[in-house]
Each structure stands twice: as structure tokens, then as C-alpha cells.
Amino acid sequence: MGNTVAREDFEWVYTDQPHADRRKEILAKHPEIKALMKPDYNLIWVVVLMVLAQLTAFYLVKDLDWKWVVFWAYVFGSCISHSMTLAIHEISHNSAFGNSKAMWNRWFGIFANLPLGLPYSISFKRYHMDHHRYLGGDGIDVDIPTNFEGWFFCTRFRKFIWIVLQPFFYAIRPLCINPKPITRLEIINLLAQLSFDVVIYYLWGVKSIFYMLAGSVLGLGLHPISGHFIAEHYMFLKGHETYSYYGPLNLLTFNVGYHNEHHDFPNIPGKSLPLVKKIAAEYYDNLPQYNSWIKVLYDFVMDDTISPYSRMKRQLKGEVKQD
């Protein structure tokens, strides 16, 4: 239970970004994939329905016993909340309204953020673009754990706690690794969120607020969907830094499991990523892949050779441009 994992540092690599090279090769062989680079307007209606579903839930839990508030926060609220963070992920790539209406996507992201309870959308967009441009970049990609996380969360029990606390690390890590000046849109995101929270509290009380916040924290922590945080880039196999998942939870997560496909083509909406895999099957079928995020979580905790250090990290060269 308390065995210490063997890894004591990140896997440092000095290669260029692998996804850009594969994208060029695939497009040269399958130019028809370019037709998939267009907005997914259905995303707009799905997000609106998800917001309405959570508003309905806020109303329905306001008079429940606390045990049922907690129950529904985990069973239903956590799924909607985590799914909404992945809708925001889609919106950050301008998938809702297209690149020509970038600001429409930013405003829509703030709207999608409302049922999460905490401001998230605008800051996520800024840091997530860095993750795509500079995957594993030292001091830039805040998806990479800190040295403290790798050093301290080195036993099975501590790795379990790390999974439970993932939403807190994702919130704090950017401030430690790559703090950025606050922008006007981030202030608007914050003010809109606080106003929404106050209205929900005024209308329906503390249980609705608890349901909202608990659903977000629980959904991003010890939850089956949270397996994608680890499945995407943690090296269960040496030399492979991005992994795809082709299981049923893609239905709730806008196909974020198609992660090699997503990094190869970040401007293709999640809805179309299965088509990318089908068209360019020779590039994806033989890559390491998962069919269970729950098993990923279990293996991460129980495998003594895997830890937060199990990531590829790059020393970036040349000029770095950030959002």
C-alpha cells in the first residue's frame, strides 16, 4: 500500500512536437479531412440544454435532505459538470461558432461556465492553447504536474489522494508554473459567475449552491470520467506521450477520448474525431489505446512505476508565443 514508485523525475525529451508532423503527413495522404474543419453548431444546443438541466436540478434539490443533495451531486451533478468542462474545452477551440466568430465563442464559454459555480472558461482557453502549441513545454504547459506533485504523491495512498484533489491542483498549478496577467475577459467571467451564484443562492438557498459546487469538485476528482486526465498523456508505455480512449464515456465527453486525433487536428470538433480515426485508420489503429477510464485510474494508483512524474517534458527552443 505504501510502496514508493521508482520514477524520480520527468521523462525529458528534446524532440519537436509529434502531432504537427503527423498532421502534415495525414493531410498529404487524406486531404478530405480538411472538410471536417468546421464548427459543430449542434454544440450550441447541447450546451443550452445542459445549462437548463442543471438549473432544473438546482431547483429540485433545494428542499431535499442533505444526504440526497450529496447523492445527486455525485450521481448526476458531477457528470453534467465534468461534461460541461469538456464542452468548454470544445468552445475554447472555437467549435461552437467557428474561428471567424472567436468572441462569440468566448461569450458562449462564459455562459456554459455558469452551472459550474467557479469561473473557469476564459483562463482555461488561455492555458489550453499553450498545451497544444507546446505539449510538455517546461514552464509553459500547466497540464504537467509540478515537481512537488511528482515528489510527494509517490505512494499508492498518496496517488489516490492526488486523484481526489485533482481539481485543486488544476486550479493552483498555473499560478505556480506559468502565472499570467489577468485579462478583461477573465474579470468579466468572474463577475458573471459571482452574479449567477448570488442569484441561485437568493432564489433557492444554500443546498442548490452546495449541489453546484460539490458536483464540480466531485466530477473532476474521484470520478470515472476523470480517468481522461491521466489517460491522455501519462506514460504507461515508455515513449508514448498521447493516448486515445475509445470507450462509451466518449458519449458524455464530446469525444475527448479521441485524444491523439484531437492533438493532431485541434480545429476539428469532437463530433467529427471518430471520422478522422476512420479515414486515417492506418495512423491510429496501432497506437496504444484504452477502453476503460476506470481501469486507467486503478492502474495509476496500483502500478508502482507510474506517478505524476510519468510525463514527457520538453525544454523549448526558440521564441515562445502565449495567449
Side-chain angles (χ1 to χ4, degrees), residues 18 144 151 178 198 207 228 230 240 256 268 323:
I144 298 287
W151 167 78
N178 186 18
V198 168
K207 290 181 180 178
H228 81 85
I230 294 169
H240 294 275
V256 75
I268 294 181
D323 279 11

Side-chain angles (χ1 to χ4, degrees), residues 24-39:
K24 291 177 183 177
E25 189 175 334
I26 290 175
L27 285 176
K29 189 173 181 180
H30 299 287
E32 65 271 26
I33 285 178
K34 293 179 182 178
L36 303 177
M37 299 175 182
K38 58 185 179 181

Side-chain angles (χ1 to χ4, degrees), residues 256-295:
V256 75
Y258 288 75
H259 217 65
N260 269 299
E261 295 85 347
H262 172 60
H263 270 268
D264 288 351
F265 300 98
N267 56 342
I268 294 181
K271 181 188 74 171
S272 299
L273 293 178
L275 281 175
V276 172
K277 180 180 184 297
K278 182 178 180 180
I279 293 169
E282 69 273 24
Y283 288 92
Y284 298 113
D285 285 353
N286 295 322
L287 292 177
Q289 57 190 252
Y290 302 112
N291 292 303
S292 171
W293 278 334
I294 295 176
K295 188 175 187 303

Side-chain angles (χ1 to χ4, degrees), residues 41-59:
Y41 295 117
N42 288 331
L43 176 63
I44 299 168
W45 305 113
V46 171
V47 167
V48 170
L49 288 174
M50 290 169 69
V51 171
L52 292 176
Q54 279 294 68
L55 284 173
T56 303
F58 296 160
Y59 172 77

Side-chain angles (χ1 to χ4, degrees), residues 172 195 237 249 272:
I172 295 170
S195 300
L237 289 176
L249 289 178
S272 299

Side-chain angles (χ1 to χ4, degrees), residues 32-93:
E32 65 271 26
I33 285 178
K34 293 179 182 178
L36 303 177
M37 299 175 182
K38 58 185 179 181
D40 173 16
Y41 295 117
N42 288 331
L43 176 63
I44 299 168
W45 305 113
V46 171
V47 167
V48 170
L49 288 174
M50 290 169 69
V51 171
L52 292 176
Q54 279 294 68
L55 284 173
T56 303
F58 296 160
Y59 172 77
L60 292 175
V61 303
K62 68 184 179 68
D63 296 320
L64 294 180
D65 288 341
W66 276 106
K67 64 182 178 182
W68 290 112
V69 176
V70 174
F71 174 82
W72 287 114
Y74 188 78
V75 171
F76 182 76
S78 62
C79 296
I80 294 288
S81 292
H82 200 136
S83 184
M84 189 62 88
T85 67
L86 294 169
I88 290 171
H89 167 255
E90 287 284 290
I91 296 165
S92 76
H93 286 280

